[in-house]
Amino acid sequence: MATAKKAVAKKEKPVQGTFRFSFGPWNIHEGADSFGPEVRKTIPFNKKLELYKKMGFDGIQFHDDDAVPGCGDGKMTQAQMIKAATELKKTLDNHGLTAEFVAPRMWFNPNTIDGGYTSNDPKCRKYAIERTKRAIDIANALGTRNIVFWLAREGTYIREAKDPVWATERIAEAAQALLDYDKNIRLMIESKPNEPVDHAYIPTIGHAIALGLLTTDPSRIGCLIETAHALLANLCPSDEMGYALAHKKLWSVHLNDQNGLKFDQDLTFGAVDPRRALNQVRVLDKAGYGNNGEWVGLDVKVMRTQKDKGGLKHLEYSRKVFLRLLEISRSLDDAKIEALRAERDYEELNWYILDAILKK
Ligand code: 3MF
Ligand code: MG
C-alpha cells in the first residue's frame, strides 16, 4: 500500500522547512503616524543594506520605488528605470542579498486616490497597469519573478461607490494583463480586509487564490499571508496558511502580530500571542515551507516610542522568536500528539502545548 509506505517513510524522516529571512526597507522607519511626525533619524537606504546580513537576514523585499526612487512619478523612461534597477542588483550582489519580490507602491500617487485597477476613471486604471508593468521590469532586473499585489485602495468607503462584480473583474483583468506582459513572473496577492479603505476587494486568502481562476494561468497566481491581515479579518493565521499550503499557493509570508480588530499594528512576531505564533511556525515547518525557496518575511514596525538606537530590535527579536518557536515545535513529540488526538483528550493536548511554551 503506497500510502501506508509513505506514512512509514514520513515517520522516519519528518518533513521540515528551510528558513531564510527577509524584510523590506520600510520596516526600518522614522516613526511618523497619522497623528504625529517622525521621531527617529532616517537611516539612508545604503546604510540599511549593510544591516541586513548583520541581523541574520538574506532577503530584501522591495516596493518599486524603494528600488528605483521616483519610478511612479511619470518622469523616468522605462530604460532609465531598468538601468537604475540593474545598478541596484550589483549593489545587492556585493552585500550578498537576494531580492525576494517587487510590489508597486501605488497608494501615494494621485492617480490612485480611489484605487488603481478598480478606479472608476479609465486613465487611473491604465496608470495602475502600466506602473505594474514597470514594477515587473524592475523585478526582472533585480533577478526575481515575484510580484506582490497589496491591493491597498482597491475597495470602497461606501458600497455604492463601485460595483463589486465589475471591480473583481477589473482586478482579474489587471492580473491577466500582467501575466501576459511577462510569461515568467508570478503574482502573490497579499490580502487585507480593510485599511486604508473601509472594505477591500480580495479581503482574504481564499479570495486571493480563487481570483487566479478568472485568469488563463491560475498556476501563476498565489499568495502572501500576513499575520495581522488574517487577524483583521478575524481569521486564524495558521489556518489561513494551512489553506494556502494545501493549494500549494503559499509563496511568501509577512509574519507579525496584532492586538485584535483595530488598526494594522505590525507588532513583533509573537508579541501578543506566542501560541498563535507557534502554530504559524509549526504549520510552515510541517509543510516544508522554504524548501522551494520561499522566504520568511517579517513585516514588523518598531514601537513609535523607541529611540534611534533601538530602532532595529523589532526585526532582530521577531527572527529570534521565530527560531525559538521552531525549536519548541520540533521538540514536541508527534507520536504523543497523535495519541492524544486519537484519545480526543484535547485538555491534555492543551496542557502539553502550554507546558512546552511556558517551560522554565
Ligand atoms: C500593509 C502591508 C504592506 C505590504 C507591502 C508589500 C506596507 O498592511 O502589509 O506594507 O506588505 O506593501 O506589498
Ligand atoms: Mg505586509
Side-chain angles (χ1 to χ4, degrees):
M1 301 209 55
T3 344
K5 239 190 197 159
K6 212 169 148 194
V8 172
K10 233 181 176 177
K11 217 169 198 175
E12 281 163 10
K13 200 173 182 300
V15 174
Q16 291 192 333
T18 309
F19 301 114
R20 300 177 301 167
F21 297 87
S22 64
F23 69 87
W26 67 90
N27 293 113
I28 301 175
H29 74 121
E30 295 83 1
D33 66 18
S34 312
F35 300 96
E38 301 179 347
V39 291
R40 282 178 296 275
K41 288 192 205 79
T42 299
I43 298 183
F45 177 72
N46 279 319
K47 193 94 201 141
K48 289 183 184 176
L49 293 186
E50 286 168 22
L51 297 168
Y52 272 76
K53 283 274 183 187
K54 286 189 194 142
M55 293 195 293
F57 290 81
D58 302 303
I60 171 159
Q61 310 181 331
F62 284 105
H63 290 120
D64 52 357
D65 57 357
D66 290 319
V68 180
C71 69
D73 301 345
K75 291 184 188 129
M76 287 176 95
T77 64
Q78 180 181 18
Q80 284 169 329
M81 291 181 211
I82 295 174
K83 185 165 179 270
T86 308
E87 286 301 313
L88 173 60
K89 172 74 167 76
K90 285 184 210 149
T91 311
L92 295 183
D93 290 346
N94 289 340
H95 286 286
L97 293 174
T98 303
E100 181 192 355
F101 67 66
V102 176
R105 177 156 42 196
M106 293 196 288
W107 47 96
F108 284 106
N109 193 278
N111 282 303
T112 65
I113 288 172
D114 194 20
Y117 313 124
T118 65
S119 170
N120 288 320
D121 180 342
K123 279 201 301 298
C124 296
R125 296 203 295 276
K126 186 159 181 263
Y127 169 84
I129 293 180
E130 287 308 309
R131 178 155 178 182
T132 314
K133 286 182 182 169
R134 296 297 78 77
I136 291 173
D137 298 338
I138 293 170
N140 279 325
L142 294 180
T144 176
R145 61 186 291 244
N146 299 326
I147 302 297
V148 165
F149 258 31
W150 172 47
L151 299 167
R153 299 192 189 278
E154 312 302 347
T156 57
Y157 299 95
I158 57 165
R159 297 299 80 70
E160 300 83 0
K162 294 175 189 171
D163 176 323
V165 177
W166 176 90
T168 307
E169 287 168 353
R170 292 299 80 76
I171 296 172
E173 226 171 59
Q176 184 70 55
L178 301 163
L179 295 176
D180 290 345
Y181 177 68
D182 185 315
K183 298 284 182 225
N184 185 45
I185 56 119
R186 54 181 199 171
L187 301 178
M188 316 201 293
I189 301 179
E190 180 179 348
S191 58
K192 182 177 179 182
N194 61 285
E195 198 200 36
V197 292
D198 181 32
H199 278 251
Y201 299 122
I202 324 297
T204 73
I205 242 50
H207 292 83
I209 293 173
L211 188 83
L213 302 175
L214 297 180
T215 71
T216 57
D217 194 356
S219 73
R220 287 196 288 142
I221 301 216
C223 62
L224 178 161
I225 294 187
E226 174 160 328
T227 313
H229 296 181
L231 292 169
L232 287 170
N234 213 4
L235 294 168
C236 165
S238 56
D239 278 0
E240 286 285 273
M241 288 174 187
Y243 182 85
L245 286 162
H247 285 82
K248 309 240 178 310
K249 292 292 191 186
L250 190 60
W251 298 343
S252 189
V253 291
H254 268 173
L255 301 183
N256 54 28
D257 214 349
Q258 170 76 22
N259 258 310
L261 301 177
K262 49 177 88 177
F263 62 95
D264 184 2
Q265 297 184 299
D266 296 336
L267 300 171
T268 293
F269 182 52
V272 177
D273 188 337
R275 181 179 187 170
R276 189 165 67 196
L278 171 69
N279 282 312
Q280 290 167 71
V281 172
R282 192 163 170 79
V283 76
L284 295 176
D285 193 35
K286 290 268 173 203
Y289 183 86
N291 292 339
N292 294 315
E294 305 90 347
W295 293 84
V296 177
L298 294 161
D299 199 0
V300 285
K301 264 200 199 89
V302 80
M303 287 180 241
R304 189 166 189 268
T305 41
Q306 282 304 105
K307 296 183 180 176
D308 284 295
K309 205 158 62 57
L312 303 174
K313 290 187 176 174
H314 59 313
L315 289 158
E316 295 179 300
Y317 289 140
S318 289
R319 180 177 170 279
K320 218 175 193 168
V321 167
F322 183 98
L323 293 171
R324 179 91 54 101
L325 292 172
L326 183 62
E327 244 175 68
I328 294 176
S329 175
R330 287 182 178 173
S331 75
L332 295 172
D333 179 350
D334 287 339
K336 180 171 173 145
I337 292 175
E338 274 314 318
L340 292 172
R341 284 177 176 175
E343 197 46 45
R344 224 173 62 212
D345 193 352
Y346 297 148
E347 282 295 347
E348 198 57 37
L349 180 55
N350 196 33
W351 167 248
Y352 184 54
I353 302 298
L354 288 173
D355 189 37
I357 296 174
L358 299 173
K359 265 220 161 81
K360 281 175 267 160

